[in-house]
Amino acid sequence: MSAPSLTPRAAATNSVWPQLEPLLPQVSKPIQYVGGELGAVTKDWDAAAVRWALMYPDAYEVGLPNQGVQILYEVLNELPDTLAERTYAVWPDLENLMRTHGVPQFTVDAHRSVRNFDVFGLSFSTELGYTNMLTAIDLAGIPLLAADRTDADPVIVAGGHAAFNPEPIADFIDAAVLGDGEEAVLEITAIVREWKAEGSPGGRDELLLRLARTESVYVPRFYDVDYLPDGRIQRVVPNRADVPFRVHKRTTMDLDAWPYPKKPLVPLAETVHERYAVEIFRGCTRGCRFCQAGMITRPVRERSITTVGQMVREGLEFSGFSEVGLLSLSSADHSEIGDMCSGLAQQYEGTNVSLSLPSTRVDAFNIDLAQELSRNGRRTGLTFAPEGGSERIRKVINKMVSKEDLIRTVVTAYSNGWRQVKLYFMCGLPTETDEDVLEIAEMAHEVIRAGRAATGSKDIRCTVSIGGFVPKPHTPFQWAAMERPEVIDHRLKILKQAINSDRSLGRAIGYRYHDGEPSLIEGLLSRGDRRVGSVIRKVWENGGRFDGWSEHFSYQRWVDAAAETLPAFGVDLDWYTTRQREELEVLPWDHLDSGLDKDWLWQDWQDSVSEFEQDDCRWTPCFDCGVCPSMDTEIQIGPTGKKLLPLTPLGGNGMKVPASDHSA
């Protein structure tokens, strides 16, 4: 593909806006490319020693609310000699015009060419964003392959959960950061700053070597992969003596020291989330075997109730948002969630501010939480995730929730004024049968019956949402075989029939699902090795864009690309997806250390097959997963003994605000 013509880095202060602006009336949603949002930062290019372009590789409406990118954007821009700007994936209509008119991939803050920055950082929460990354690299005029880049090109760094196995994109990135980014980006910035101040000795290779020596930045070019005749990996080893054999994840231990975002971005165009989001804790010890996020973010680190209160106050005052999202993998598990919700509800009672817990476990939701979340009369959506339809499959995945727990929880919500709840399940789980899936319909029917009985109303609804299971690295299911798409689709079909078998109940139940095809491709990318890079590139060359969007995703395009490229390596699509791995097989990410002991993960996989439930180690003795010793820490839990109260009189904006002394 032809990349746009570019100005030299010396002319980097030049904005591409004069070339871009005439194109915007010709595209959909042009406002997303304009920038200038409340919270946006534009700094003097010449005053900056280090310059970052940050990207969440999806459309503006998905990328702007991304919490990780917002935090790094703010952390970096607080440094006096560092500049960070944002870029997002452009829709195909603008991409075509940019190629025609020679406009490069640009930032929305000052509309500078991405190629002119020192570091191009991309945050991946899903592997289906890889084709968008290639579009951005190519539009920027940067060589697709890391091996072809020169000192004139930015260092491309991948982060986010997908970076825990960056091997499928190893040919396209220069480096990957595992784990938390707050301190990592500061360390990378310091290394780049020093290298540039010294006159860039040794060029690009020396800079990458300095990053690799930190032992927390993975540089693929410094590692070679050897394969066995049957296609499995024999070993992954450094190809030079001064880089580590294993790369370790970064963990930010004191969340109170990083109260970001302080000045959240307020979008100009409609986005998927429009709220002030506070991460109330990081990590999870529930041990759901399918959940990569819960495994790789260990140990648990809570943000104190007083810091949360301060962040909410300042974030709302700055942004004007009317919803506060208390985020974590399982928000109701915070040791002071009751006091936190009651304190916030009391502070903002009588205002238009509402609270939401976007991630709520069935067995952690109770009447007190329900009352606090609905105190001001506004009820945000409630989603509960039993994940598996039958008790048996919930034992397999270690989701310790009974049908009775679910019914009791949903009745609590209905009785407190909610009229609709969403229930999330997965299809294609290890050992799953048709019968396991059909129990989802039975559970949904019971939810409606119980809700009608408790409220005396037929105005009760629930939505059953089904996602496809994808085995992820660094989880007990990293060895598991995937189900074929036709099996998933069969189960989804019979489930819909079962839900609608009782018309009185079925019409009160919404049904949403993702078919099996995108999940299989996500599985290819999730557990792939470097050979999968050829598939990604072929898909992109054949027009692959926005693969996370159903209207743009083409399963056949991925199947064809895999069939065209993988046989040269002696493997195929099934080899990466529907094949079960063996215990001693070298996995593509074994040299990337998430802190979890591989033997412990294997034993938990065996426990899963035996339908053995593992307790939450936050409240029980240690199970030796390996994280706490490797992190030299202990699980952090409250309570602090402090409250959000007492309150001062109403502030100038009509809201009650907490006093500066947060003590009880």
Side-chain angles (χ1 to χ4, degrees):
M1 296 190 181
S2 60
S5 58
L6 294 163
T7 55
R9 187 176 288 197
T13 52
N14 293 342
S15 169
V16 303
W17 181 251
Q19 293 79 44
L20 175 66
E21 186 181 20
L23 307 181
L24 296 184
Q26 305 174 54
V27 303
S28 62
K29 300 181 182 178
I31 190 69
Q32 64 188 308
Y33 307 117
V34 171
E37 305 94 341
L38 180 64
V41 177
T42 303
K43 300 177 74 172
D44 180 3
W45 181 272
D46 294 327
V50 181
R51 306 172 183 102
W52 284 74
L54 297 173
M55 181 180 197
Y56 186 82
D58 209 324
Y60 177 93
E61 61 200 84
V62 178
L64 182 133
N66 181 262
Q67 189 86 338
V69 171
Q70 287 208 29
I71 289 171
L72 300 185
Y73 178 73
E74 197 167 320
V75 166
L76 288 166
N77 277 319
E78 283 186 350
L79 298 174
D81 68 343
T82 301
L83 170 156
E85 297 187 13
R86 299 162 293 129
T87 187
Y88 304 106
V90 298
W91 286 108
D93 58 356
L94 182 57
E95 179 192 342
N96 294 334
L97 287 169
M98 289 168 65
R99 292 188 184 282
T100 299
H101 294 273
V103 178
Q105 181 78 24
F106 56 88
T107 61
V108 296
D109 296 294
H111 297 95
R112 292 165 173 146
S113 170
V114 166
R115 187 176 185 230
N116 293 322
F117 289 75
D118 299 305
V119 187
F120 182 18
L122 298 104
S123 178
F124 293 98
S125 59
T126 171
E127 297 86 357
L128 292 174
Y130 290 160
T131 50
N132 282 354
M133 172 190 70
L134 295 188
T135 301
I137 292 173
D138 187 60
L139 278 174
I142 303 168
L144 279 185
L145 297 178
D148 295 337
R149 293 176 196 142
T150 69
D151 293 356
D153 298 303
V155 171
I156 297 181
V157 182
H161 288 181
F164 276 81
N165 177 26
E167 291 301 280
I169 55 172
D171 290 342
F172 312 119
I173 62 171
D174 296 297
V177 174
L178 280 64
D180 299 331
E182 292 94 336
E183 293 165 298
V185 295
L186 296 185
E187 183 177 30
I188 291 170
T189 299
I191 291 170
V192 173
R193 180 193 296 119
E194 182 177 356
W195 173 75
K196 289 180 67 177
E198 294 171 3
S200 307
R204 186 182 197 84
D205 205 59
E206 170 65 20
L207 174 58
L208 292 173
L209 183 59
R210 293 186 186 189
L211 293 173
R213 285 175 181 154
T214 65
E215 300 189 4
S216 63
V217 178
Y218 175 53
V219 181
R221 73 162 65 184
F222 296 143
Y223 295 81
D224 292 333
V225 183
D226 298 327
Y227 300 96
L228 295 167
D230 63 2
R232 292 177 300 149
I233 294 173
Q234 182 178 27
R235 62 177 186 167
V236 181
V237 291
N239 54 32
R240 49 189 303 163
D242 43 0
V243 297
F245 271 85
R246 286 173 66 79
V247 179
H248 307 287
K249 76 170 182 179
R250 296 294 301 247
T251 302
T252 299
M253 293 305 302
D254 183 5
L255 295 188
D256 283 344
W258 300 89
Y260 297 92
K262 301 172 184 175
K263 297 179 179 180
L265 291 160
V266 180
L268 296 177
E270 184 179 2
T271 58
V272 292
H273 299 300
E274 297 187 6
R275 64 191 179 199
Y276 179 61
V278 179
E279 186 182 24
I280 60 175
F281 73 91
R282 196 172 291 178
C284 184
T285 52
R286 290 280 188 167
C288 300
R289 293 174 173 128
F290 58 84
C291 183
Q292 184 190 49
M295 294 289 173
I296 63 177
T297 58
R298 294 182 177 197
V300 168
R301 292 145 287 155
E302 288 193 351
R303 190 163 261 146
S304 71
I305 187 172
T306 50
T307 299
V308 170
Q310 185 75 8
M311 289 177 67
V312 169
R313 183 185 70 174
E314 294 177 358
L316 290 181
E317 287 178 350
F318 177 83
S319 67
F321 283 129
S322 59
E323 180 182 337
V324 176
L326 303 179
L327 305 187
S328 77
L329 292 173
S330 181
S331 297
D333 282 346
H334 193 289
S335 61
E336 296 182 283
I337 190 65
D339 288 339
M340 188 181 296
C341 286
S342 63
L344 290 171
Q346 186 170 345
Q347 280 181 33
Y348 298 106
E349 188 170 13
T351 73
N352 67 339
V353 174
S354 63
L355 298 178
S356 66
L357 298 182
S359 175
T360 312
R361 279 186 62 92
V362 169
D363 53 353
F365 186 83
N366 54 49
I367 190 168
D368 293 331
L369 271 182
Q371 290 173 344
E372 299 300 353
L373 292 173
S374 60
R375 186 190 290 201
N376 68 358
R378 291 181 60 204
R379 295 176 181 86
T380 55
L382 281 179
T383 299
F384 301 107
E387 309 287 0
S390 69
E391 183 176 352
R392 187 197 73 80
I393 204 70
R394 289 194 294 274
K395 288 182 179 179
V396 169
I397 65 177
N398 207 46
K399 191 80 175 185
M400 295 172 285
V401 173
S402 69
K403 184 185 294 185
E404 293 72 26
D405 286 335
L406 178 68
I407 301 301
R408 181 173 58 250
T409 297
V410 173
V411 166
T412 298
Y414 287 144
S415 300
N416 280 273
W418 276 272
R419 287 295 172 262
Q420 176 154 340
V421 298
K422 181 178 177 181
L423 305 178
Y424 181 81
F425 300 88
M426 283 190 291
C427 187
L429 291 161
T431 79
E432 180 185 273
T433 65
D434 290 2
E435 288 69 31
D436 292 315
V437 174
L438 288 173
E439 287 200 39
I440 296 173
E442 181 183 334
M443 185 180 289
H445 286 168
E446 291 197 29
V447 162
I448 298 299
R449 288 193 197 99
R452 288 175 176 176
T455 62
S457 169
K458 285 200 171 185
D459 183 25
I460 294 293
R461 289 189 56 81
C462 81
T463 297
V464 170
S465 182
I466 313 287
F469 164 68
V470 178
K472 294 288 186 177
H474 307 282
T475 71
F477 288 163
Q478 64 184 0
W479 290 276
M482 296 187 72
E483 284 285 13
R484 299 199 60 79
E486 54 266 28
V487 175
I488 303 297
D489 295 345
H490 161 73
R491 290 176 182 164
L492 294 172
K493 180 179 178 181
I494 62 174
L495 173 58
K496 183 177 183 179
Q497 292 171 346
I499 288 174
N500 293 328
S501 62
D502 185 318
R503 293 186 62 189
S504 172
L505 299 172
R507 62 170 173 254
I509 301 170
Y511 183 51
R512 298 178 181 174
Y513 62 89
H514 299 282
D515 60 38
E517 293 178 346
S519 297
L520 192 80
I521 300 308
E522 190 177 343
L524 166 72
L525 300 175
S526 170
R527 294 189 295 174
D529 51 42
R530 294 188 183 187
R531 295 170 291 189
V532 172
S534 63
V535 183
I536 299 170
R537 180 168 184 172
K538 180 60 65 175
V539 167
W540 175 77
E541 289 174 344
N542 291 339
R545 306 287 190 275
F546 291 94
D547 286 292
W549 295 67
S550 58
E551 60 265 41
H552 293 277
F553 175 80
S554 167
Y555 179 67
Q556 195 59 49
R557 184 159 46 211
W558 282 94
V559 170
D560 291 345
E564 186 175 345
T565 61
L566 293 180
F569 304 111
V571 293
D572 58 18
L573 180 58
D574 287 346
W575 193 88
Y576 284 106
T577 55
T578 59
R579 177 180 68 94
Q580 184 166 308
R581 277 64 167 167
E582 299 299 324
E583 178 181 5
L584 299 180
E585 179 171 342
V586 176
L587 303 175
W589 51 89
D590 279 349
H591 58 298
L592 305 175
D593 185 9
S594 63
L596 294 160
D597 181 76
K598 190 176 180 182
D599 291 337
W600 177 82
L601 288 171
W602 174 263
Q603 185 56 54
D604 205 37
W605 167 229
Q606 302 311 298
D607 288 343
S608 167
V609 175
S610 303
E611 299 173 18
F612 175 78
E613 292 178 299
Q614 185 74 275
D615 290 332
D616 184 345
C617 70
R618 199 172 178 192
W619 315 109
T620 56
C622 176
F623 298 131
D624 295 324
C625 76
V627 170
C628 290
S630 67
M631 298 283 107
D632 190 27
T633 186
E634 294 180 357
I635 292 171
Q636 295 181 11
I637 57 174
T640 62
K642 296 186 177 182
K643 310 287 183 186
L644 292 169
L645 308 179
L647 301 174
T648 60
L650 286 175
N653 59 359
M655 295 183 180
K656 295 178 180 178
V657 293
S660 57
D661 178 11
H662 294 288
S663 59

